[in-house]
Amino acid sequence: MLTSKKLLIFILTVGVFGILNTEMGVIGILPTIAQNFNVTVTQAGLLVSLFALGIAVSGPILPLVFSGLDRRKVMLLVLGIFVVGNVVSIFTTSFTVLLIARIIPALFHPIYMSLAFTVAGSSVSQEEAPKAVAKVFIGVSAGMVVGVPIVSFIDNTFSYEMAMTFIAIVNIIVFVATLLFVPSMPVKEKLSYGAQFSVLKRPVLWISMIAVLLLNASVFGVYSYVTEYLYAVTHMSPQWTSMTLLLFGGANMLGNIIAGKVLTDYPAKSIIMFPLLLGIVYIVFFAIGEHRVPVTLLTILWGVLAGGIMANLNQYLISSVAGDAPDFANGLFVTSCNVGTTVGSAFGGLLISTMGVEYVILVGIFSVVLSLIMLLIRSYLNNSAKKWTASS
């Protein structure tokens, strides 16, 4: 039984990697996509921003709509839709079709993510649930950043079609593994929609969601165009760029582990420390962007901080104030993150088209400053709510 639980969590982790890799993998090949489909890099960035927007639209609703159905069947449905979208992306020559082939899976993205967190937590004892969810988050970090250099490497070494094939193969493997090894999982107890929606009455939750939005914008407003930045500003070769992105990915996973530990021991300090350090990194990045070796080293620190923020810290900000509605909270987490990705990448593209790619770092700096303001407000509201509860 223990082995089957480990296998289930492993499949969920790889499944989350495949879903996130579909969303983020194209970041490393935006210049190639722009060239292949005869569009600008900013237009190619729509593949990231519109995907994220699709997630943001469906995130609060579709996980609830499917929450009463057998979880295995729902996961197979979502994975099947992703496989079809991936295959279309390999063979189409139309940029419009490519956009459609990404937007449709994006709508189902939050369903799988929410299920993965819920299933992982419910598959073990309550005491072991945080560890199980943390393992799934490794797939989140890997999908967000490790897939990018892998896809970029395949694109540079072989072709765009082979890069997209890699993305498809991962989802096909997870679909088959889910079909063969994941048991039927009918829902035994389902919270009413009203009970879950009631958490929206809490002002601290809305402030937390805005903070998560801004934090994700601070990362992906820059990261969505980092390949173009490293080419044009830092003058890196494609091979050096792939290596730098791979270092970022490894550092990102390390940051995920570090953040999990410090959030457990020092939650209040960690919430402020990670964004503050990220802002400092961006300021230094802006100053030394033309120097390859310093930028490569700084990218490692950037990866550690971004990894801690994107998964652990962002999820903590929402789950810690809406833990009584876990499915809905997971949907809000996914939505807030992807609205942030959409906003960040949109403003990044706007800065590139109006000022030049070297100024995309300003999106990160500006978003971090705003997020710190929101986090201070959140801390005040949270402390006030705790004092009111204690006094009553």
Side-chain angles (χ1 to χ4, degrees):
M1 188 65 179
L2 181 62
T3 302
S4 63
K5 289 179 180 178
K6 288 183 176 179
L7 179 60
L8 172 61
I9 292 173
F10 177 74
I11 291 172
L12 292 173
T13 302
V14 179
V16 166
F17 168 75
I19 297 293
L20 267 296
N21 190 39
T22 300
E23 178 183 3
M24 297 298 171
V26 298
I27 289 175
I29 59 173
L30 286 182
T32 299
I33 292 174
Q35 183 177 3
N36 282 9
F37 289 88
N38 196 28
V39 296
T40 67
V41 172
T42 302
Q43 288 174 315
L46 291 172
L47 296 171
V48 178
S49 59
L50 290 184
F51 193 107
L53 183 61
I55 295 171
V57 169
S58 67
I61 306 300
L62 287 189
L64 291 183
V65 172
F66 285 86
S67 61
L69 303 179
D70 185 292
R71 288 164 175 169
R72 175 178 178 269
K73 293 179 179 178
V74 175
M75 285 192 287
L76 286 171
L77 171 66
V78 175
L79 291 168
I81 291 171
F82 267 76
V83 168
V84 172
N86 293 155
V87 172
V88 171
S89 298
I90 297 170
F91 295 103
T92 185
T93 57
S94 166
F95 185 70
T96 301
V97 173
L98 182 63
L99 280 174
I100 294 171
R102 287 180 57 78
I103 292 172
I104 293 175
L107 297 173
F108 291 83
H109 173 294
I111 301 172
Y112 191 92
M113 297 298 295
S114 181
L115 279 178
F117 299 140
T118 302
V119 169
S122 62
S123 67
V124 296
S125 66
Q126 187 174 356
E127 294 75 17
E128 294 294 316
K131 292 183 180 179
V133 175
K135 290 177 181 178
V136 175
F137 263 120
I138 293 175
V140 174
S141 294
M144 282 183 169
V145 291
V146 176
V148 174
I150 293 176
V151 172
S152 176
F153 173 78
I154 296 173
D155 174 58
N156 290 327
T157 306
F158 300 101
S159 65
Y160 159 80
E161 289 78 11
M162 288 298 295
M164 299 304 289
T165 299
F166 165 75
I167 296 174
I169 288 174
V170 174
N171 284 296
I172 291 171
I173 291 173
V174 178
F175 180 90
V176 174
T178 302
L179 186 65
L180 296 178
F181 301 112
V182 175
S184 176
M185 292 182 288
V187 177
K188 297 177 182 178
E189 295 182 13
K190 180 184 175 184
L191 288 175
S192 68
Y193 294 154
Q196 299 199 61
F197 278 123
S198 66
V199 300
L200 293 174
K201 297 177 182 178
R202 303 168 188 172
V204 68
L205 175 59
W206 287 96
I207 294 297
S208 299
M209 290 167 61
I210 295 171
V212 169
L213 183 158
L214 290 167
L215 286 170
N216 235 50
S218 73
V219 174
F220 283 101
V222 180
Y223 189 64
S224 295
Y225 302 99
V226 68
T227 303
E228 183 71 10
Y229 182 92
L230 295 177
Y231 286 167
V233 179
T234 317
H235 305 295
M236 287 187 180
S237 66
Q239 290 74 23
W240 196 329
T241 298
S242 296
M243 180 197 71
T244 302
L245 292 175
L246 187 60
L247 289 173
F248 180 92
N252 193 277
M253 297 180 71
L254 176 62
N256 193 6
I257 297 171
I258 293 173
K261 292 181 179 180
V262 297
L263 274 170
T264 301
D265 298 329
Y266 313 102
K269 293 181 180 179
S270 302
I271 287 171
I272 300 298
M273 183 188 307
F274 272 82
L276 185 61
L277 291 176
L278 181 64
I280 295 172
V281 165
Y282 280 145
I283 292 171
V284 177
F285 218 124
F286 189 71
I288 65 167
E290 296 180 355
H291 305 281
R292 281 178 289 182
V293 174
V295 163
T296 302
L297 296 175
L298 190 63
T299 298
I300 297 174
L301 180 56
W302 178 32
V304 170
L305 296 170
I309 288 171
M310 287 189 298
N312 298 75
L313 192 146
N314 279 345
Q315 201 269 349
Y316 174 84
L317 287 174
I318 292 179
S319 65
S320 61
V321 296
D324 48 333
D327 287 333
F328 190 45
N330 285 332
L332 294 175
F333 161 64
V334 173
T335 294
S336 301
C337 285
N338 283 277
V339 171
T341 299
T342 302
V343 171
S345 59
F347 275 101
L350 180 63
L351 275 182
I352 290 174
S353 61
T354 57
M355 300 176 66
V357 69
E358 64 270 24
Y359 291 99
V360 75
I361 304 296
L362 296 180
V363 177
I365 297 173
F366 183 65
S367 299
V368 165
V369 171
L370 291 179
S371 71
L372 285 169
I373 295 173
M374 291 298 107
L375 290 172
L376 292 173
I377 296 173
R378 179 189 185 276
S379 178
Y380 172 79
L381 291 175
N382 218 14
N383 291 334
S384 297
K386 288 179 181 178
K387 288 179 181 178
W388 184 85
T389 303
S391 62
S392 60

